[in-house]
Amino acid sequence: MKNLKHTPAPWKIFIKAGTMDACRIKDAQKMLIADCFWMGENKTKEEAEANAKLIASAHELLEALILANKLITGFVPAEGDDHIKIKNAIKKATE
């Protein structure tokens, strides 16, 4: 994935316990990308962990969408609903 502006992969999840209970998503240099809290925001620990997994897998999801877009181009109508959803998701993540 060239020419993308976000922090490079991999992103990993770290569970932070204590006064600020959160799942932390960090890059390879352990710089903070995001926190998913489960205390004080009416979230459960399970929901915060699921949110963290989704955020941490963003690179793989974007790569898969870009690959899917390349694979289906020419095989399905360019303006078909599924193809439009894929292109819009890539655009939303990269622009």
Side-chain angles (χ1 to χ4, degrees):
M1 295 188 314
K2 296 178 182 173
N3 302 320
L4 298 176
K5 298 173 186 170
H6 58 263
T7 304
W11 292 358
K12 298 194 184 228
I13 299 169
F14 298 85
I15 305 296
K16 179 164 174 52
T19 58
M20 184 176 72
D21 291 333
C23 298
R24 304 196 108 176
I25 298 96
K26 296 183 179 183
D27 68 9
Q29 287 75 40
K30 297 203 171 130
M31 297 299 294
L32 182 65
I33 300 293
D35 279 330
C36 294
F37 296 97
W38 65 80
M39 295 297 287
E41 293 189 14
N42 298 320
K43 303 266 187 238
T44 65
K45 183 177 180 183
E46 292 77 20
E47 183 178 356
E49 288 175 352
N51 290 340
K53 287 177 184 178
L54 182 60
I55 294 167
S57 69
H59 286 90
E60 291 87 356
L61 295 168
L62 181 56
E63 280 183 9
L65 281 175
I66 291 169
L67 178 60
N69 187 51
K70 288 178 184 176
L71 292 173
I72 66 172
T73 298
F75 292 103
V76 297
E79 298 307 315
D81 288 344
D82 293 336
H83 201 180
I84 290 171
K85 285 179 184 177
I86 289 171
K87 292 192 301 187
N88 286 341
I90 293 169
K91 184 177 179 179
K92 186 176 182 179
T94 59
E95 291 184 357

